[in-house]
Amino acid sequence: MTTPSDDRIAELYARLGALAEERDALRAQLDGDLPRATRWLQSKVWRQAAALDTLNRRVVTQRFVLRTLDGLGRSLTADEYRAAREAVADEHLRDRIDA
């Protein structure tokens, strides 16, 4: 029998904590404490939105690099990457590309 790694144990404790929070929120909802249940749900939505934003930033960066590589036909140097990023006209999009 193998013992779980420290990372796996930490992951299981985090999952257990999240499930306990969800259980408590559902119990609060059943008890009629809707503000408490709503706060839990709102924090869950915020966490998911932050995770989605992080993932979206990675996708935007990868698409940017792939388009730039396709245009050059070779790998980018760090200076070329920064120059290409700065050449993006849309400031909002440029800010979403990892520097």
Side-chain angles (χ1 to χ4, degrees):
M1 186 168 139
T2 62
T3 58
S5 69
D6 289 342
D7 290 340
R8 180 71 176 141
I9 291 171
E11 179 184 328
L12 290 173
Y13 273 116
R15 178 115 172 95
L16 182 62
L19 289 172
E21 287 178 7
E22 185 172 1
R23 179 206 58 211
D24 294 344
L26 291 172
R27 187 173 288 145
Q29 186 177 5
L30 288 173
D31 292 342
D33 188 359
L34 294 181
R36 182 175 172 203
T38 302
R39 283 190 301 274
W40 171 81
L41 183 58
Q42 187 177 34
S43 68
K44 182 176 180 179
V45 168
W46 285 338
R47 285 190 307 272
Q48 289 175 342
L52 183 59
D53 184 61
T54 300
L55 180 61
N56 188 33
R57 287 175 183 273
R58 285 179 41 201
V59 169
V60 167
T61 299
Q62 290 170 354
R63 286 182 178 165
F64 170 74
V65 169
L66 289 174
R67 280 194 310 271
T68 306
L69 288 175
D70 185 47
L72 290 175
R74 62 175 174 78
S75 296
L76 286 174
T77 66
D79 290 337
E80 288 173 327
Y81 172 81
R82 282 190 290 276
R85 181 184 174 277
E86 292 304 317
V88 173
D90 184 352
E91 183 178 331
H92 179 69
L93 180 58
R94 186 174 50 243
D95 289 343
R96 295 191 61 79
I97 298 171
D98 292 342

